[in-house]
Amino acid sequence: MLLVVLGIAGALAMGAPAARASDKSVSIVGVNQGYSPGSVTVNPGDTVTWTDRDPTPAPHNAICDESCPEPFSSGNPGATGTTGKYQFRYSGTYQYNCAVHPNMKGTVVVTGDVHPPAGAPAGGTASTAPATAAASGATSPASASTGGAGGASPSAAGSSPSAPAAAADSGAAATDAPKSPLPPVGQLALPEPQVRVHQASSSGTPWWVLVPSSVLLVIATAACALAWFGPRPLRGTT
C-alpha cells in the first residue's frame, strides 16, 4: 500500500508543471554603474520593478522602443527612491535604457514562445481594440432603434462616418502637400560685393610752395656761378 501511494505521488510530481519564476527587482545604481542586476530572466506575465537608488538627484527610468518585442516604459524618470514597474507579456529579449541617460543599459529576457497575435499593433494597444469594437457594437442597436422611431437617424448615421473620413482626407492632403525644396547652397542668389576705392588727391604742389622754392633755387645758382666765375682776389706780393 505504501509503495502504491509513493508511486502515485511521484507520478503527480513528474506531471506537475514547473513553478514559474517570481517577479524580479532591479536597482538603478547610478549613471556610471547602470542597473543591478544588468540582466534578469522572467516568464511571460511576470513583472519587473525598477527602484532608483542613485544617491544623486539625477532622474532615471527604464524604456525600450520598437526594437524590443513590445515597447515598454517603467514610467516617467524619477528621483532617488522612486519605483516603476512593467508586466512583460511576450517572449523575447528586451534591451532597455534610461530615457535621460541612454548610456545606462539593461536586459530583460522573457522565456517561452509567447508572441503578440497576428495583426496586433505594437505597443500593447491590441487589448483596446476589442473594447472599442464592443462599445461600437453596443451603441449600434440604440442608433438603429432611434432611426426606426424618428426616421432621420439613418441619414445622420450614414453621414457621420463620412465626416471623419473627409477630415482624415483633408488632413492627409495637408500633410502630403508638396513643399518647395530649398536650392543648394551654391545656387543661392547672394548680393554682389561692393568695393569702394578711395583715390589719392592729385592736385599737385601749391603755388605758395613752388614760388619761394624757385626763388631760393635761382639765388643759390647765381651765388655758385659768381663764386666760380667771378674775379679772383688779388694776392699780395712779398
Side-chain angles (χ1 to χ4, degrees):
M1 185 65 180
L2 181 59
L3 295 177
V4 175
V5 174
L6 292 177
I8 294 174
L12 293 176
M14 293 179 61
R20 56 178 297 177
S22 60
D23 298 340
K24 299 292 183 179
S25 297
V26 177
S27 298
I28 305 177
V29 184
V31 176
N32 297 324
Q33 295 81 5
Y35 303 91
S36 179
S39 177
V40 294
T41 302
V42 297
N43 289 334
D46 289 343
T47 300
V48 177
T49 302
W50 289 268
T51 303
D52 190 351
R53 304 188 186 280
D54 188 354
T56 65
H60 303 293
N61 71 339
I63 62 170
C64 188
D65 55 14
E66 288 76 7
S67 61
C68 288
E70 180 183 23
F72 78 89
S73 172
S74 64
N76 295 329
T80 305
T82 58
T83 61
K85 61 179 60 179
Y86 186 79
Q87 184 180 17
F88 292 88
R89 303 182 298 171
Y90 305 122
S91 304
T93 301
Y94 297 75
Q95 295 182 349
Y96 63 89
N97 60 275
C98 176
V100 184
H101 310 92
N103 60 302
M104 299 172 53
K105 300 182 182 297
T107 304
V108 174
V109 179
V110 182
T111 61
D113 191 18
V114 181
H115 301 286
T125 57
S127 60
T128 60
T132 306
S136 61
T139 56
S140 58
S143 61
S145 62
T146 305
S153 298
S155 60
S159 60
S160 58
S162 61
D169 294 340
S170 62
T175 304
D176 299 337
K179 297 180 180 180
S180 57
L182 294 176
V185 178
Q187 299 181 4
L188 293 177
L190 300 177
E192 294 294 335
Q194 298 180 0
V195 180
R196 297 180 180 179
V197 179
H198 298 277
Q199 297 181 355
S201 176
S202 57
S203 58
T205 306
W207 64 269
W208 49 270
V209 174
L210 290 177
V211 171
S213 300
S214 301
V215 172
L216 291 177
L217 181 59
V218 170
I219 294 175
T221 303
C224 291
L226 182 61
W228 183 262
F229 297 104
R232 305 290 182 180
L234 296 177
R235 297 180 178 177
T237 56
T238 56

